[in-house]
Short mmCIF file of all heavy atoms in Angstrom, two decimals:
data_model
loop_
_atom_site.label_atom_id
_atom_site.label_comp_id
_atom_site.label_asym_id
_atom_site.label_seq_id
_atom_site.Cartn_x
_atom_site.Cartn_y
_atom_site.Cartn_z
N CYS E 1456 92.99 81.08 132.53
CA CYS E 1456 94.17 80.27 132.73
C CYS E 1456 94.18 79.77 134.18
O CYS E 1456 93.87 80.51 135.10
CB CYS E 1456 95.39 81.12 132.44
SG CYS E 1456 96.93 80.22 132.62
N ILE E 1457 94.53 78.53 134.35
CA ILE E 1457 94.53 77.92 135.68
C ILE E 1457 95.98 77.77 136.15
O ILE E 1457 96.86 77.43 135.37
CB ILE E 1457 93.80 76.57 135.66
CG1 ILE E 1457 93.63 76.03 137.06
CG2 ILE E 1457 94.47 75.58 134.78
CD1 ILE E 1457 92.64 74.90 137.14
N SER E 1458 96.21 78.05 137.42
CA SER E 1458 97.56 77.96 137.96
C SER E 1458 98.00 76.50 138.08
O SER E 1458 97.18 75.59 138.14
CB SER E 1458 97.64 78.64 139.32
OG SER E 1458 97.00 77.84 140.30
N SER E 1459 99.28 76.30 138.17
CA SER E 1459 99.84 74.96 138.32
C SER E 1459 99.39 74.34 139.64
O SER E 1459 99.08 73.16 139.71
CB SER E 1459 101.36 75.03 138.27
OG SER E 1459 101.92 73.77 138.48
N ALA E 1460 99.33 75.14 140.69
CA ALA E 1460 98.90 74.63 142.00
C ALA E 1460 97.44 74.18 141.95
O ALA E 1460 97.10 73.11 142.47
CB ALA E 1460 99.08 75.70 143.07
N ALA E 1461 96.60 74.96 141.32
CA ALA E 1461 95.19 74.58 141.20
C ALA E 1461 95.05 73.32 140.36
O ALA E 1461 94.26 72.43 140.67
CB ALA E 1461 94.38 75.72 140.60
N SER E 1462 95.84 73.24 139.31
CA SER E 1462 95.83 72.06 138.45
C SER E 1462 96.18 70.81 139.26
O SER E 1462 95.55 69.76 139.12
CB SER E 1462 96.82 72.25 137.30
OG SER E 1462 96.96 71.07 136.56
N ASP E 1463 97.18 70.91 140.11
CA ASP E 1463 97.59 69.77 140.95
C ASP E 1463 96.50 69.36 141.92
O ASP E 1463 96.29 68.18 142.16
CB ASP E 1463 98.87 70.11 141.72
CG ASP E 1463 100.10 70.18 140.83
OD1 ASP E 1463 100.04 69.68 139.69
OD2 ASP E 1463 101.11 70.76 141.27
N VAL E 1464 95.79 70.33 142.47
CA VAL E 1464 94.68 70.03 143.39
C VAL E 1464 93.59 69.27 142.66
O VAL E 1464 93.10 68.25 143.14
CB VAL E 1464 94.12 71.32 144.03
CG1 VAL E 1464 92.83 71.04 144.78
CG2 VAL E 1464 95.16 71.94 144.96
N TYR E 1465 93.20 69.77 141.50
CA TYR E 1465 92.17 69.08 140.71
C TYR E 1465 92.61 67.65 140.38
O TYR E 1465 91.84 66.71 140.49
CB TYR E 1465 91.86 69.83 139.41
CG TYR E 1465 91.07 71.10 139.61
CD1 TYR E 1465 91.55 72.31 139.13
CD2 TYR E 1465 89.84 71.08 140.25
CE1 TYR E 1465 90.82 73.48 139.30
CE2 TYR E 1465 89.11 72.25 140.41
CZ TYR E 1465 89.61 73.44 139.93
OH TYR E 1465 88.89 74.59 140.10
N LYS E 1466 93.84 67.51 139.98
CA LYS E 1466 94.37 66.21 139.58
C LYS E 1466 94.31 65.23 140.76
O LYS E 1466 93.90 64.09 140.60
CB LYS E 1466 95.81 66.38 139.09
CG LYS E 1466 96.42 65.12 138.56
CD LYS E 1466 97.82 65.42 138.04
CE LYS E 1466 98.62 64.17 137.91
NZ LYS E 1466 100.00 64.39 137.57
N ARG E 1467 94.71 65.67 141.94
CA ARG E 1467 94.68 64.80 143.12
C ARG E 1467 93.26 64.41 143.50
O ARG E 1467 93.02 63.33 144.02
CB ARG E 1467 95.37 65.48 144.30
CG ARG E 1467 96.87 65.44 144.23
CD ARG E 1467 97.50 65.83 145.55
NE ARG E 1467 97.02 67.10 146.07
CZ ARG E 1467 97.57 68.28 145.82
NH1 ARG E 1467 98.63 68.37 145.04
NH2 ARG E 1467 97.08 69.38 146.35
N GLN E 1468 92.31 65.28 143.25
CA GLN E 1468 90.93 65.01 143.62
C GLN E 1468 90.29 63.91 142.76
O GLN E 1468 89.36 63.26 143.21
CB GLN E 1468 90.08 66.29 143.51
CG GLN E 1468 90.35 67.28 144.61
CD GLN E 1468 90.05 66.68 145.97
OE1 GLN E 1468 89.00 66.10 146.19
NE2 GLN E 1468 90.99 66.81 146.88
N ILE E 1469 90.80 63.68 141.58
CA ILE E 1469 90.23 62.66 140.70
C ILE E 1469 90.23 61.31 141.39
O ILE E 1469 89.22 60.62 141.46
CB ILE E 1469 90.99 62.59 139.36
CG1 ILE E 1469 90.80 63.89 138.57
CG2 ILE E 1469 90.55 61.38 138.54
CD1 ILE E 1469 91.73 64.03 137.38
N GLY E 1470 91.38 60.90 141.91
CA GLY E 1470 91.50 59.60 142.54
C GLY E 1470 90.76 59.47 143.85
O GLY E 1470 90.48 58.36 144.31
N ALA E 1471 90.40 60.59 144.45
CA ALA E 1471 89.71 60.57 145.74
C ALA E 1471 88.20 60.40 145.59
O ALA E 1471 87.51 60.19 146.58
CB ALA E 1471 90.01 61.86 146.50
N GLN E 1472 87.71 60.46 144.37
CA GLN E 1472 86.27 60.41 144.14
C GLN E 1472 85.74 58.99 144.09
O GLN E 1472 86.37 58.11 143.53
CB GLN E 1472 85.91 61.14 142.85
CG GLN E 1472 86.30 62.58 142.82
CD GLN E 1472 85.79 63.36 144.01
OE1 GLN E 1472 84.63 63.24 144.39
NE2 GLN E 1472 86.64 64.17 144.60
N ASN E 1473 84.58 58.79 144.68
CA ASN E 1473 83.91 57.50 144.65
C ASN E 1473 82.62 57.52 143.85
O ASN E 1473 82.10 56.48 143.48
CB ASN E 1473 83.62 57.01 146.07
CG ASN E 1473 84.89 56.68 146.81
OD1 ASN E 1473 85.79 56.05 146.27
ND2 ASN E 1473 84.99 57.13 148.05
N SER E 1474 82.11 58.69 143.59
CA SER E 1474 80.85 58.85 142.88
C SER E 1474 81.08 58.87 141.37
O SER E 1474 81.89 59.66 140.86
CB SER E 1474 80.17 60.16 143.30
OG SER E 1474 79.13 60.49 142.41
N ASP E 1475 80.37 57.99 140.66
CA ASP E 1475 80.49 57.97 139.20
C ASP E 1475 80.14 59.32 138.60
O ASP E 1475 80.80 59.79 137.66
CB ASP E 1475 79.57 56.90 138.60
CG ASP E 1475 80.05 55.48 138.89
OD1 ASP E 1475 81.18 55.31 139.39
OD2 ASP E 1475 79.28 54.55 138.61
N VAL E 1476 79.12 59.96 139.13
CA VAL E 1476 78.68 61.26 138.61
C VAL E 1476 79.77 62.31 138.78
O VAL E 1476 80.05 63.09 137.86
CB VAL E 1476 77.37 61.71 139.31
CG1 VAL E 1476 76.99 63.12 138.90
CG2 VAL E 1476 76.24 60.75 139.01
N VAL E 1477 80.43 62.30 139.92
CA VAL E 1477 81.49 63.27 140.18
C VAL E 1477 82.70 62.98 139.29
O VAL E 1477 83.31 63.90 138.74
CB VAL E 1477 81.89 63.29 141.67
CG1 VAL E 1477 83.09 64.19 141.91
CG2 VAL E 1477 80.71 63.74 142.52
N ILE E 1478 83.04 61.71 139.11
CA ILE E 1478 84.17 61.34 138.25
C ILE E 1478 83.92 61.83 136.83
O ILE E 1478 84.80 62.41 136.19
CB ILE E 1478 84.42 59.82 138.29
CG1 ILE E 1478 84.94 59.41 139.67
CG2 ILE E 1478 85.40 59.41 137.20
CD1 ILE E 1478 84.98 57.91 139.89
N ILE E 1479 82.71 61.61 136.33
CA ILE E 1479 82.37 62.06 134.98
C ILE E 1479 82.42 63.58 134.89
O ILE E 1479 82.94 64.14 133.91
CB ILE E 1479 81.00 61.50 134.55
CG1 ILE E 1479 81.13 59.99 134.32
CG2 ILE E 1479 80.48 62.20 133.29
CD1 ILE E 1479 79.82 59.27 134.10
N ALA E 1480 81.90 64.27 135.89
CA ALA E 1480 81.92 65.73 135.90
C ALA E 1480 83.37 66.25 135.91
O ALA E 1480 83.69 67.21 135.22
CB ALA E 1480 81.15 66.28 137.09
N MET E 1481 84.22 65.58 136.69
CA MET E 1481 85.63 65.99 136.73
C MET E 1481 86.30 65.73 135.38
O MET E 1481 87.13 66.53 134.94
CB MET E 1481 86.36 65.29 137.86
CG MET E 1481 85.90 65.78 139.23
SD MET E 1481 86.99 65.27 140.54
CE MET E 1481 88.31 66.45 140.31
N ALA E 1482 85.95 64.63 134.74
CA ALA E 1482 86.51 64.34 133.41
C ALA E 1482 86.14 65.46 132.44
O ALA E 1482 86.99 65.95 131.70
CB ALA E 1482 86.01 62.99 132.92
N ASP E 1483 84.88 65.86 132.47
CA ASP E 1483 84.43 66.95 131.59
C ASP E 1483 85.18 68.24 131.91
O ASP E 1483 85.59 68.97 131.00
CB ASP E 1483 82.92 67.18 131.75
CG ASP E 1483 82.09 66.08 131.11
OD1 ASP E 1483 82.61 65.36 130.23
OD2 ASP E 1483 80.91 65.94 131.50
N ALA E 1484 85.36 68.52 133.19
CA ALA E 1484 86.06 69.74 133.60
C ALA E 1484 87.52 69.73 133.15
O ALA E 1484 88.04 70.74 132.70
CB ALA E 1484 85.97 69.91 135.12
N MET E 1485 88.17 68.58 133.25
CA MET E 1485 89.58 68.49 132.85
C MET E 1485 89.73 68.74 131.35
O MET E 1485 90.67 69.38 130.92
CB MET E 1485 90.16 67.12 133.20
CG MET E 1485 90.21 66.83 134.68
SD MET E 1485 91.17 68.03 135.60
CE MET E 1485 90.29 68.00 137.14
N VAL E 1486 88.78 68.23 130.56
CA VAL E 1486 88.81 68.48 129.11
C VAL E 1486 88.58 69.97 128.85
O VAL E 1486 89.29 70.58 128.05
CB VAL E 1486 87.77 67.61 128.37
CG1 VAL E 1486 87.64 68.04 126.92
CG2 VAL E 1486 88.15 66.14 128.46
N GLU E 1487 87.58 70.55 129.53
CA GLU E 1487 87.28 71.99 129.35
C GLU E 1487 88.50 72.85 129.66
O GLU E 1487 88.76 73.83 128.98
CB GLU E 1487 86.13 72.40 130.28
CG GLU E 1487 84.79 71.93 129.85
CD GLU E 1487 84.04 72.99 129.06
OE1 GLU E 1487 84.30 74.18 129.24
OE2 GLU E 1487 83.20 72.59 128.25
N MET E 1488 89.23 72.48 130.73
CA MET E 1488 90.40 73.27 131.14
C MET E 1488 91.66 72.85 130.40
O MET E 1488 92.69 73.50 130.53
CB MET E 1488 90.62 73.12 132.65
CG MET E 1488 89.52 73.76 133.48
SD MET E 1488 89.84 73.73 135.25
CE MET E 1488 89.36 72.05 135.66
N GLY E 1489 91.58 71.77 129.64
CA GLY E 1489 92.74 71.31 128.88
C GLY E 1489 93.87 70.80 129.75
O GLY E 1489 95.04 70.97 129.41
N LEU E 1490 93.53 70.19 130.86
CA LEU E 1490 94.56 69.73 131.80
C LEU E 1490 95.08 68.35 131.39
O LEU E 1490 94.65 67.32 131.90
CB LEU E 1490 94.02 69.70 133.23
CG LEU E 1490 93.59 71.06 133.78
CD1 LEU E 1490 93.07 70.93 135.20
CD2 LEU E 1490 94.77 72.03 133.74
N GLN E 1491 96.02 68.36 130.49
CA GLN E 1491 96.58 67.12 129.97
C GLN E 1491 97.27 66.29 131.03
O GLN E 1491 97.34 65.07 130.92
CB GLN E 1491 97.55 67.42 128.83
CG GLN E 1491 96.87 67.99 127.62
CD GLN E 1491 97.82 68.20 126.46
OE1 GLN E 1491 99.01 67.94 126.57
NE2 GLN E 1491 97.29 68.65 125.35
N ASN E 1492 97.76 66.94 132.08
CA ASN E 1492 98.44 66.19 133.13
C ASN E 1492 97.49 65.34 133.96
O ASN E 1492 97.93 64.57 134.82
CB ASN E 1492 99.27 67.12 134.02
CG ASN E 1492 98.43 68.09 134.82
OD1 ASN E 1492 97.24 68.23 134.60
ND2 ASN E 1492 99.06 68.78 135.75
N SER E 1493 96.19 65.43 133.71
CA SER E 1493 95.23 64.60 134.44
C SER E 1493 95.05 63.23 133.81
O SER E 1493 94.43 62.35 134.38
CB SER E 1493 93.88 65.32 134.56
OG SER E 1493 93.32 65.53 133.28
N LYS E 1494 95.62 63.03 132.62
CA LYS E 1494 95.51 61.75 131.92
C LYS E 1494 95.92 60.58 132.81
O LYS E 1494 95.25 59.56 132.87
CB LYS E 1494 96.39 61.71 130.67
CG LYS E 1494 95.83 62.39 129.48
CD LYS E 1494 96.82 62.17 128.33
CE LYS E 1494 96.40 62.88 127.09
NZ LYS E 1494 97.33 62.62 125.99
N SER E 1495 97.05 60.73 133.49
CA SER E 1495 97.58 59.62 134.30
C SER E 1495 96.62 59.25 135.43
O SER E 1495 96.49 58.07 135.77
CB SER E 1495 98.96 59.96 134.86
OG SER E 1495 98.89 61.09 135.70
N GLU E 1496 95.95 60.24 136.00
CA GLU E 1496 94.99 59.95 137.07
C GLU E 1496 93.80 59.15 136.54
O GLU E 1496 93.33 58.22 137.19
CB GLU E 1496 94.51 61.24 137.73
CG GLU E 1496 95.58 61.96 138.50
CD GLU E 1496 96.14 61.14 139.65
OE1 GLU E 1496 95.37 60.46 140.35
OE2 GLU E 1496 97.37 61.17 139.83
N PHE E 1497 93.33 59.50 135.36
CA PHE E 1497 92.22 58.76 134.76
C PHE E 1497 92.66 57.35 134.39
O PHE E 1497 91.92 56.38 134.57
CB PHE E 1497 91.65 59.50 133.55
CG PHE E 1497 90.94 60.77 133.93
CD1 PHE E 1497 91.31 61.99 133.38
CD2 PHE E 1497 89.90 60.76 134.84
CE1 PHE E 1497 90.64 63.16 133.72
CE2 PHE E 1497 89.23 61.92 135.19
CZ PHE E 1497 89.60 63.12 134.63
N GLU E 1498 93.89 57.23 133.88
CA GLU E 1498 94.41 55.90 133.55
C GLU E 1498 94.50 55.03 134.81
O GLU E 1498 94.17 53.85 134.78
CB GLU E 1498 95.78 56.03 132.88
CG GLU E 1498 95.69 56.60 131.48
CD GLU E 1498 97.02 57.03 130.90
OE1 GLU E 1498 98.01 57.17 131.65
OE2 GLU E 1498 97.07 57.24 129.68
N ASN E 1499 94.94 55.63 135.92
CA ASN E 1499 95.01 54.90 137.19
C ASN E 1499 93.63 54.44 137.64
O ASN E 1499 93.47 53.32 138.13
CB ASN E 1499 95.64 55.77 138.28
CG ASN E 1499 97.12 55.98 138.07
OD1 ASN E 1499 97.76 55.24 137.34
ND2 ASN E 1499 97.65 57.00 138.71
N LEU E 1500 92.63 55.30 137.51
CA LEU E 1500 91.27 54.92 137.90
C LEU E 1500 90.80 53.71 137.10
O LEU E 1500 90.22 52.77 137.66
CB LEU E 1500 90.29 56.07 137.67
CG LEU E 1500 90.18 57.14 138.73
CD1 LEU E 1500 89.16 58.19 138.31
CD2 LEU E 1500 89.82 56.56 140.06
N ILE E 1501 91.07 53.73 135.81
CA ILE E 1501 90.65 52.62 134.94
C ILE E 1501 91.33 51.32 135.37
O ILE E 1501 90.69 50.27 135.44
CB ILE E 1501 90.94 52.94 133.46
CG1 ILE E 1501 90.00 54.05 132.98
CG2 ILE E 1501 90.80 51.70 132.59
CD1 ILE E 1501 90.37 54.62 131.62
N GLN E 1502 92.61 51.41 135.69
CA GLN E 1502 93.36 50.21 136.05
C GLN E 1502 93.06 49.70 137.45
O GLN E 1502 93.01 48.50 137.68
CB GLN E 1502 94.86 50.49 135.94
CG GLN E 1502 95.33 50.67 134.51
CD GLN E 1502 96.81 51.03 134.44
OE1 GLN E 1502 97.49 51.13 135.44
NE2 GLN E 1502 97.29 51.23 133.22
N GLU E 1503 92.86 50.62 138.39
CA GLU E 1503 92.78 50.24 139.79
C GLU E 1503 91.38 49.98 140.32
O GLU E 1503 91.21 49.38 141.37
CB GLU E 1503 93.45 51.31 140.66
CG GLU E 1503 94.94 51.43 140.38
CD GLU E 1503 95.58 52.60 141.10
OE1 GLU E 1503 94.88 53.31 141.85
OE2 GLU E 1503 96.79 52.80 140.88
N ARG E 1504 90.38 50.44 139.60
CA ARG E 1504 89.01 50.30 140.10
C ARG E 1504 88.14 49.48 139.17
O ARG E 1504 88.36 49.43 137.97
CB ARG E 1504 88.36 51.67 140.29
CG ARG E 1504 89.02 52.48 141.36
CD ARG E 1504 88.12 53.57 141.79
NE ARG E 1504 88.81 54.54 142.59
CZ ARG E 1504 88.30 55.69 142.94
NH1 ARG E 1504 87.10 56.03 142.53
NH2 ARG E 1504 88.98 56.53 143.69
N ASN E 1505 87.14 48.88 139.75
CA ASN E 1505 86.14 48.16 138.97
C ASN E 1505 85.03 49.15 138.64
O ASN E 1505 84.01 49.22 139.32
CB ASN E 1505 85.61 46.97 139.78
CG ASN E 1505 84.67 46.11 138.98
OD1 ASN E 1505 84.66 46.16 137.75
ND2 ASN E 1505 83.88 45.32 139.67
N LEU E 1506 85.25 49.92 137.59
CA LEU E 1506 84.33 51.00 137.23
C LEU E 1506 83.15 50.49 136.41
O LEU E 1506 83.27 49.52 135.67
CB LEU E 1506 85.07 52.06 136.40
CG LEU E 1506 86.21 52.80 137.07
CD1 LEU E 1506 86.95 53.62 136.04
CD2 LEU E 1506 85.71 53.66 138.21
N ASN E 1507 82.06 51.21 136.53
CA ASN E 1507 80.91 51.01 135.66
C ASN E 1507 81.40 51.17 134.22
O ASN E 1507 82.22 52.04 133.93
CB ASN E 1507 79.85 52.06 136.01
CG ASN E 1507 78.68 52.09 135.07
OD1 ASN E 1507 78.83 52.42 133.91
ND2 ASN E 1507 77.53 51.78 135.60
N ILE E 1508 80.91 50.34 133.31
CA ILE E 1508 81.38 50.37 131.92
C ILE E 1508 81.20 51.75 131.28
O ILE E 1508 82.05 52.21 130.52
CB ILE E 1508 80.70 49.27 131.06
CG1 ILE E 1508 81.35 49.20 129.67
CG2 ILE E 1508 79.21 49.50 130.94
CD1 ILE E 1508 82.77 48.74 129.66
N ASN E 1509 80.12 52.45 131.62
CA ASN E 1509 79.89 53.80 131.06
C ASN E 1509 80.94 54.78 131.56
O ASN E 1509 81.39 55.65 130.81
CB ASN E 1509 78.49 54.28 131.40
CG ASN E 1509 77.42 53.45 130.73
OD1 ASN E 1509 77.58 53.01 129.60
ND2 ASN E 1509 76.34 53.22 131.45
N VAL E 1510 81.31 54.66 132.83
CA VAL E 1510 82.34 55.54 133.39
C VAL E 1510 83.68 55.23 132.75
O VAL E 1510 84.42 56.13 132.36
CB VAL E 1510 82.41 55.40 134.93
CG1 VAL E 1510 83.56 56.22 135.50
CG2 VAL E 1510 81.09 55.80 135.57
N LYS E 1511 83.98 53.95 132.60
CA LYS E 1511 85.24 53.55 131.98
C LYS E 1511 85.34 54.09 130.56
O LYS E 1511 86.36 54.65 130.16
CB LYS E 1511 85.36 52.02 131.97
CG LYS E 1511 86.65 51.53 131.40
CD LYS E 1511 86.74 50.02 131.44
CE LYS E 1511 88.04 49.56 130.81
NZ LYS E 1511 88.15 48.12 130.74
N GLU E 1512 84.26 53.95 129.79
CA GLU E 1512 84.26 54.46 128.42
C GLU E 1512 84.41 55.98 128.38
O GLU E 1512 85.10 56.53 127.52
CB GLU E 1512 82.99 54.02 127.69
CG GLU E 1512 82.99 52.54 127.38
CD GLU E 1512 81.67 52.04 126.79
OE1 GLU E 1512 80.70 52.82 126.71
OE2 GLU E 1512 81.63 50.86 126.41
N LYS E 1513 83.78 56.67 129.32
CA LYS E 1513 83.90 58.13 129.41
C LYS E 1513 85.35 58.52 129.69
O LYS E 1513 85.88 59.45 129.08
CB LYS E 1513 82.96 58.67 130.49
CG LYS E 1513 83.13 60.14 130.79
CD LYS E 1513 82.81 60.99 129.59
CE LYS E 1513 82.94 62.47 129.94
NZ LYS E 1513 82.70 63.31 128.78
N LEU E 1514 85.98 57.81 130.62
CA LEU E 1514 87.37 58.13 130.95
C LEU E 1514 88.30 57.84 129.78
O LEU E 1514 89.23 58.60 129.53
CB LEU E 1514 87.81 57.37 132.20
CG LEU E 1514 87.09 57.76 133.50
CD1 LEU E 1514 87.68 57.01 134.67
CD2 LEU E 1514 87.10 59.25 133.74
N GLU E 1515 88.05 56.76 129.07
CA GLU E 1515 88.85 56.46 127.88
C GLU E 1515 88.69 57.56 126.84
O GLU E 1515 89.67 57.97 126.20
CB GLU E 1515 88.47 55.10 127.32
CG GLU E 1515 88.94 53.95 128.20
CD GLU E 1515 88.37 52.59 127.83
OE1 GLU E 1515 87.36 52.54 127.06
OE2 GLU E 1515 88.90 51.58 128.31
N SER E 1516 87.49 58.05 126.67
CA SER E 1516 87.22 59.14 125.74
C SER E 1516 87.92 60.43 126.21
O SER E 1516 88.47 61.17 125.40
CB SER E 1516 85.71 59.37 125.64
OG SER E 1516 85.42 60.53 124.91
N THR E 1517 87.88 60.66 127.50
CA THR E 1517 88.54 61.84 128.08
C THR E 1517 90.04 61.79 127.82
O THR E 1517 90.64 62.78 127.41
CB THR E 1517 88.25 61.93 129.59
OG1 THR E 1517 86.84 62.11 129.78
CG2 THR E 1517 89.00 63.08 130.24
N ILE E 1518 90.63 60.63 128.07
CA ILE E 1518 92.08 60.47 127.85
C ILE E 1518 92.41 60.76 126.39
O ILE E 1518 93.38 61.46 126.10
CB ILE E 1518 92.52 59.06 128.28
CG1 ILE E 1518 92.43 58.92 129.80
CG2 ILE E 1518 93.95 58.77 127.79
CD1 ILE E 1518 92.51 57.48 130.29
N ALA E 1519 91.61 60.24 125.48
CA ALA E 1519 91.85 60.49 124.05
C ALA E 1519 91.70 61.96 123.70
O ALA E 1519 92.43 62.47 122.84
CB ALA E 1519 90.87 59.63 123.22
N SER E 1520 90.78 62.66 124.37
CA SER E 1520 90.54 64.08 124.08
C SER E 1520 91.66 64.96 124.60
O SER E 1520 91.91 66.04 124.07
CB SER E 1520 89.22 64.53 124.72
OG SER E 1520 88.14 63.89 124.13
N LEU E 1521 92.28 64.51 125.69
CA LEU E 1521 93.33 65.33 126.29
C LEU E 1521 94.63 65.15 125.52
O LEU E 1521 95.48 65.92 125.46
CB LEU E 1521 93.53 64.97 127.76
CG LEU E 1521 92.37 65.35 128.67
CD1 LEU E 1521 92.55 64.74 130.05
CD2 LEU E 1521 92.28 66.87 128.81
#
């Protein structure tokens, strides 16, 4: 079980990432941990950044999984 404080730290780190590989790894981690509150951060990334199509599709899949 992950604490609320740790969950908030992970969530904030999503938007701070610039590496596609790290963003995808974080998406996988959020699904593994079941952190539904990270959906909004992934949605923001999709809207605010010009992401690689593979990263965008991965994030859309992550949002659906959460």
Side-chain angles (χ1 to χ4, degrees):
C1456 181
I1457 188 166
S1458 74
S1459 177
S1462 172
D1463 289 343
V1464 170
Y1465 287 124
K1466 184 177 162 187
R1467 283 193 307 269
Q1468 287 300 311
I1469 294 168
Q1472 300 307 315
N1473 292 316
S1474 166
D1475 290 350
V1476 173
V1477 174
I1478 291 170
I1479 290 171
M1481 291 194 78
D1483 288 339
M1485 296 301 148
V1486 170
E1487 286 264 334
M1488 292 185 280
L1490 298 180
Q1491 293 184 358
N1492 65 349
S1493 62
K1494 280 183 183 182
S1495 62
E1496 292 299 319
F1497 291 124
E1498 290 167 344
N1499 289 342
L1500 277 180
I1501 290 169
Q1502 291 176 1
E1503 296 173 2
R1504 294 198 193 170
N1505 186 19
L1506 297 171
N1507 172 295
I1508 188 66
N1509 295 323
V1510 175
K1511 182 179 178 184
E1512 289 174 355
K1513 172 63 177 177
L1514 295 184
E1515 289 169 345
S1516 171
T1517 297
I1518 291 165
S1520 294
L1521 292 170

